[in-house]
Amino acid sequence: MGVRVVVTMTTAAAAACCLLLLQLFVGCVAVAAALPTKGGGAGGDDYLRYKDPKQPLNRRIDDLLRRMTLAEKIGQMSQIERENATADVVNKYLIGSVLSGGGSVPAKNAPPEAWVKMVNGMQSGALSTRLGIPIIYGIDAVHGHGNVYKATIFPHNIGLGCTRDPELAQRIGAAVALEVRATGIPYVFAPCVAVCRDPRWGRCYESFSEHPGVVRNMTSIISGFQGEIPAPASGGRPGAPYVAGGQRNVAACSKHYVGDGGTTKGVNEGNTVASFHELMAVHMPPYYNAVIRGVSTVMVSFSSWNGVKMHANHFLVTDHLKNRLRFRGFIISDWQGLDRITTPDHADYLLSIKLGILAGVDMVMIPYTYTEFIDDLTLLVQNGTIPMSRIDDAVRRILRVKFTMGLFDNPYADTSLVGELGKQEHRDLAREAVRKSLVLLKNGKPGAKPLLPLPKKLSYGGRVLVAGSHADDLGSQCGGWTITWQGLTGNNLTAGTTILDGIRRAVAPGTDVVYSENPDAGFVQKNKARFDYAVVVVGEPPYAETFGDNLNLTIPAPGPDIIRNVCGSIKCVVVLVSGRPLVVEPFMDIIDALVAAWLPGTEGQGVSDVLFGDYGFTGKLSRTWFRSVDQLPMNVGDAHYDPLFPFGFGLQTQPSTY
């Protein structure tokens, strides 16, 4: 027989007990819904297939996409600036991506641990949303992790193009990826694959070359960033985004699509006047290679093609890139790129959003006005102006990249890679890149012996004059996109070695290296007999984008006077630090040797390595060196081609034996 136990309790106690049981029941249901079924079997709506890493990629994407509301989809299409992106903002507005603009940092001289903490804080806001879709954090890393204090700064692309070394570019991409990952960031707005056809353009140093073939070869840097895409027989799919497993690679971004290097007079964000054939032959080829390499994203250019803004160009963005080239990653706007579809900017924002999204832009860089963008895009979808199919295409592409790079499975960064930032192996690689990027344009006056390589050891100790504004200026030799957007002059912005430092380390003990930033004619005449030779280092100040547009391309003052004062009296080598060729013909008769050093970055010792013959000069011009700006634009293959130094020119030397 059974035993019956009767328990009596107060009404209040009974109510409390019922409430506790109800809470336990609801909690168990929530936990069960968040867990995939064992073995990855198909369950009902409670089975979150998108959270199961064992599921095929497209099934995860389909499962997540069908669960998303319009607000969640538009949130994924929104990329906002770091300074606005608190965890609460990311959570409230369901933000899909965050970026650091040039110079946007968690704190001045912030260590990598501070970056990791910042990114993870934002990620926590994303993961606490209903669906827990992680953000993708992006940053410009156009010649190293340039925003970050003590990162390795590599030569800008114009110098890398002179190396003609795709394997070197790939190694640089892998090193930069590690330094970016050291700060918890998984996505870089690089490489720029523009084909610069006019050096008056302020972004010309971001271009590997005027020749599309050179730029195509240097897209190997994408495989450095992302990892080498497997062959089709091993599962690789050209056109699909690819990022190698683990957390040592980053998603890359080819930019700026397309024709940004061909604008009239090199005006930044200007108009490229070209036939379809010219556009395809000159500016499009690097994108073919980028897509084949599995590039994850493509950034649209501010510029126009024959008067049509690229951000509103459905034919080139959707018909050509997405459909014809079968690019399967996502397309991102440039900074406030949709705003600039109208003139003036933001004059008709609803129209701008309509044109940009219908053209095929998937993620919109809206650093500040993100609430306006979200509200307006929502309205355009709700009133039928933009079909849901276009929104779904955008979100599907964004999710594909996030799943492919492992963000859903490893959303949080850690500090295990902080030692990669600025490590010696990366600095050695940058120094190698500097050596290989230098182009020797002149070596000795007619009838005289070559000046280079310079002797390290001089009789009776010897004395060397080093002059010029750029000899002892780390900021100037790094150029734009270094610590700040426009770059900085001076030696207190980050860690590195100036060209003067390199010279002092190269010469034999006992050699007197005299540095004078701006020696006047009187100083030189008084002391010329004391110097065995001089190294004059002059060039451009740092700049980026429109601030670098320049119609005269002369060496900035006091550079010309320094060249005349020093080289008119002392045997001299001029080292030109610049983002492009400059007017040098007026000085060619008085100088003994001329070296194009471009923008070498933090490892200035790479310059002295070659000046003093530890290594030979091997660099070849990646672009034509004009005589006069009146000749511009002038590129190899033009009918009227009369350069001072032609494309591919570069004298070679052999290493010295001391």
Side-chain angles (χ1 to χ4, degrees):
M1 61 188 237
V3 178
R4 182 171 62 181
V5 179
V6 178
V7 180
T8 59
M9 62 178 70
T10 65
T11 302
C17 185
C18 290
L19 179 60
L20 177 61
L21 289 171
L22 179 61
Q23 289 173 335
L24 287 171
F25 174 76
V26 171
C28 289
V29 169
V31 170
L35 295 173
T37 58
K38 291 183 179 180
D45 287 343
D46 291 337
Y47 170 51
L48 302 183
R49 181 178 281 114
Y50 75 93
K51 290 194 174 184
D52 184 355
K54 296 179 180 179
Q55 289 292 317
L57 172 64
N58 286 330
R59 285 188 185 176
R60 297 181 80 180
I61 296 171
D62 290 341
D63 181 63
L64 179 52
L65 193 60
R66 72 178 178 83
R67 297 173 185 272
M68 295 175 71
T69 65
L70 177 60
E72 288 164 332
K73 291 175 181 178
I74 290 177
Q76 285 302 298
M77 298 171 67
S78 305
Q79 184 183 68
I80 69 173
E81 221 286 328
R82 175 206 62 80
E83 64 185 78
N84 302 316
T86 63
D88 289 342
V89 167
V90 170
N91 180 281
K92 178 178 179 181
Y93 294 99
L94 307 165
I95 297 298
S97 185
V98 179
L99 84 151
S100 274
S104 180
V105 298
K108 184 178 180 180
N109 298 347
E113 292 88 348
W115 284 87
V116 170
K117 181 179 179 181
M118 177 192 71
V119 175
N120 282 346
M122 298 171 188
Q123 194 67 276
S124 69
L127 297 179
S128 62
T129 57
R130 182 179 73 93
L131 295 173
I133 305 173
I135 60 164
I136 179 173
Y137 195 108
I139 195 165
D140 286 285
V142 298
H143 65 145
H145 201 7
N147 274 1
V148 179
Y149 182 60
K150 291 188 175 180
T152 308
I153 303 301
F154 292 85
H156 267 296
N157 286 353
I158 189 172
L160 296 185
C162 294
T163 71
R164 302 295 201 279
D165 192 340
E167 188 269 341
L168 173 66
Q170 185 165 341
R171 287 190 284 139
I172 289 172
V176 174
L178 284 170
E179 298 210 8
V180 172
R181 280 288 194 174
T183 58
I185 296 172
Y187 175 33
V188 296
F189 305 126
C192 177
V193 295
V195 181
C196 175
R197 305 290 284 181
D198 194 323
R200 292 174 290 188
W201 184 35
R203 304 192 79 150
C204 199
Y205 63 74
E206 296 185 53
S207 168
F208 290 111
S209 178
E210 71 186 39
H211 193 292
V214 174
V215 182
R216 290 184 71 168
N217 288 338
M218 300 304 277
T219 60
S220 58
I221 197 171
I222 294 169
S223 298
F225 287 136
Q226 299 190 156
E228 193 82 57
I229 187 169
S234 302
R237 294 187 303 144
Y242 175 79
V243 181
Q247 292 186 292
R248 299 174 68 85
N249 294 94
V250 293
C253 177
S254 294
K255 63 184 189 181
H256 308 85
Y257 186 84
V258 59
D260 51 335
T263 60
T264 302
K265 294 187 177 181
V267 173
N268 191 46
E269 305 181 23
N271 185 34
T272 297
V273 179
S275 68
F276 179 68
H277 173 76
E278 290 169 333
L279 191 74
M280 294 297 108
V282 174
H283 299 284
M284 191 65 75
Y287 290 96
Y288 304 153
N289 288 64
V291 170
I292 290 169
R293 289 183 181 275
V295 72
S296 295
T297 71
V298 172
M299 184 182 291
V300 183
S301 176
F302 286 130
S303 59
S304 303
W305 175 47
N306 295 335
V308 178
K309 292 275 190 178
M310 280 304 310
H311 277 79
N313 196 313
H314 182 276
F315 169 67
L316 288 174
V317 174
T318 293
D319 294 344
H320 192 79
L321 181 58
K322 287 186 173 181
N323 296 339
R324 185 173 182 185
L325 300 188
R326 299 187 61 78
F327 172 64
R328 293 291 177 264
F330 70 77
I331 294 172
I332 186 168
S333 81
D334 207 331
W335 180 278
Q336 296 178 326
L338 297 195
D339 301 56
R340 304 190 195 191
I341 291 175
T342 59
T343 304
D345 295 355
H346 206 84
D348 187 340
Y349 198 43
L350 274 172
L351 176 63
S352 292
I353 294 173
K354 169 189 170 182
L355 293 175
I357 301 302
L358 290 179
V361 176
D362 302 313
M363 182 179 284
V364 181
M365 197 181 288
I366 33 161
Y368 307 118
T369 59
Y370 55 93
T371 57
E372 181 184 12
F373 168 77
I374 290 170
D375 290 344
D376 285 359
L377 181 53
T378 301
L379 174 64
L380 290 169
V381 176
Q382 289 176 338
N383 68 18
T385 302
I386 295 177
M388 185 59 74
S389 59
R390 172 73 271 272
I391 301 298
D392 286 346
D393 171 61
V395 178
R396 180 178 297 277
R397 291 168 176 276
I398 293 165
L399 296 178
R400 181 179 293 120
V401 170
K402 290 185 176 184
F403 277 118
T404 299
M405 62 193 298
L407 271 180
F408 279 85
D409 307 318
N410 294 289
Y412 285 114
D414 59 42
T415 56
S416 62
L417 293 176
V418 295
E420 298 289 337
L421 188 82
K423 74 176 184 178
Q424 190 59 47
E425 291 90 336
H426 296 166
R427 294 191 180 278
D428 292 343
L429 176 60
R431 186 171 169 180
E432 176 189 349
V434 174
R435 293 195 294 261
K436 292 180 175 179
S437 69
L438 302 177
V439 180
L440 180 58
L441 299 173
K442 181 180 180 180
N443 192 17
K445 292 179 179 177
K449 293 193 305 183
L451 179 62
L452 301 176
L454 297 170
K456 292 183 176 182
K457 190 173 183 179
L458 301 167
S459 59
Y460 307 108
R463 183 172 285 109
V464 177
L465 173 63
V466 179
S469 52
H470 288 53
D472 191 33
D473 192 319
L474 189 64
S476 290
Q477 73 186 41
C478 289
W481 296 107
T482 310
I483 302 300
T484 68
W485 174 37
Q486 292 295 317
L488 299 164
T489 58
N491 291 332
N492 58 355
L493 73 163
T494 191
T497 304
T498 68
I499 295 171
L500 176 63
D501 291 334
I503 293 171
R504 285 174 169 157
R505 295 178 189 181
V507 296
T511 303
D512 186 13
V513 176
V514 177
Y515 173 57
S516 176
E517 181 178 339
N518 186 10
D520 59 27
F523 170 85
V524 174
Q525 286 299 316
K526 181 179 178 181
N527 295 282
K528 63 181 180 180
R530 300 172 56 207
F531 295 112
D532 293 271
Y533 57 81
V535 181
V536 176
V537 191
V538 294
E540 294 184 294
Y543 57 81
E545 300 191 44
T546 305
F547 292 90
D549 286 358
N550 186 330
L551 294 178
N552 62 61
L553 296 182
T554 54
I555 298 173
D561 286 340
I562 297 172
I563 293 172
R564 293 188 189 97
N565 291 340
V566 175
C567 298
S569 301
I570 305 170
K571 281 192 302 185
C572 79
V573 52
V574 173
V575 178
L576 190 61
V577 176
S578 66
R580 53 205 162 184
L582 300 176
V583 176
V584 296
E585 192 171 36
F587 313 106
M588 292 304 295
D589 288 342
I590 63 170
I591 65 178
D592 295 272
L594 176 62
V595 176
W598 314 113
L599 297 169
T602 52
E603 307 313 303
Q605 202 165 350
V607 177
S608 58
D609 284 343
V610 186
L611 288 180
F612 290 91
D614 292 326
Y615 297 83
F617 282 92
T618 58
K620 303 293 183 185
L621 285 178
S622 60
R623 58 177 315 101
T624 297
W625 202 294
F626 58 89
R627 297 178 183 275
S628 162
V629 292
D630 296 335
Q631 297 174 296
L632 300 177
M634 178 176 61
N635 296 282
V636 63
D638 287 355
H640 303 287
Y641 192 67
D642 180 30
L644 182 61
F645 301 107
F647 172 84
F649 180 83
L651 301 174
Q652 294 192 347
T653 62
Q654 296 299 315
S656 296
T657 54
Y658 294 102

